[in-house]
Amino acid sequence: MNQQPVRARRRRVPALSPDERRAAIVAATIPLLRTHGAAVTTKQIAEAAGVAEGTIFGVFPDKASLILAALGTAFDQETVLRDLDAIDRQAPLRKRMRDAAAVLLRRFESNVQLMMVARTLPMETGRRQVEQLMEGRRVLTEAVEALIEPDRALLRRSPATTAGMLVLLVIASVRPELAEPGELDADGVVAVLLDGLLVRPTDTTGGDA
């Protein structure tokens, strides 16, 4: 007896809610902003997100709104604050600062291009985004300050000042216009802060001429 071939049933892909679709489009946009900056096109974003270009404008009123949403997600502090909070408070000061610098280096290295994007946005929009960046830096600096505070007596400057200097050194080390890329790693940042740049009399390794 001949059997008719059984037609495979097409599985229906569950429709995404507006919030889920929005999140998916934002996730696809972030790496494109790192590569193309604000010049990224909605066509490129749609292709990366696997949606029709018109779908983007179903959840975002315009490209600028999408870029702002993507930057806001990329600059969210939750993950980096969690990483800083996980640093062992019982470790020696140098190790705590080194671990903090490593966390911040990963953060700023991944977002340095996005920081430049924020500064190319139209004046009012860009101003709000830069303000968000500055507020984020303040929050991160306070988290680093809390890590340093237990050893306040070992430092010639306050934990707040020391934390601010550490954050600035990390930012400078990932900004190509300010320093050679990779010139300062986490150990280098902390060494500059705690040891300075002068070669000690007992240091036989020498230094740059």
Side-chain angles (χ1 to χ4, degrees), residues 80-145:
V80 68
L81 288 174
R82 187 165 57 244
D83 289 344
L84 289 172
D85 188 59
I87 293 173
D88 183 7
R89 295 315 201 258
Q90 303 305 313
L93 173 64
R94 184 180 295 271
K95 185 177 189 307
R96 294 200 310 274
M97 291 179 64
R98 188 267 172 206
D99 290 346
V103 168
L104 295 178
L105 277 168
R106 289 195 299 271
R107 166 74 171 193
F108 289 120
E109 282 172 351
S110 66
N111 282 345
V112 63
Q113 295 301 325
L114 299 182
M115 293 177 190
M116 303 308 294
V117 171
R119 287 170 169 79
T120 65
L121 296 174
M123 182 176 296
E124 183 60 26
T125 303
R127 183 182 62 79
R128 293 197 304 270
Q129 193 62 60
V130 170
E131 287 175 353
Q132 180 184 346
L133 281 172
M134 296 304 295
E135 173 62 15
R137 185 187 302 180
R138 183 190 66 77
V139 171
L140 292 180
T141 301
E142 288 182 352
V144 175
E145 177 187 353

Side-chain angles (χ1 to χ4, degrees), residues 140-177:
L140 292 180
T141 301
E142 288 182 352
V144 175
E145 177 187 353
L147 282 169
I148 296 172
E149 177 63 38
D151 284 308
R152 169 187 288 268
L154 300 178
L155 299 167
R156 290 190 297 164
R157 295 291 184 269
S158 70
T161 298
T162 305
M165 293 172 67
L166 186 146
V167 172
L168 287 175
L169 273 175
V170 167
I171 292 173
S173 71
V174 301
R175 293 279 294 274
E177 73 274 25

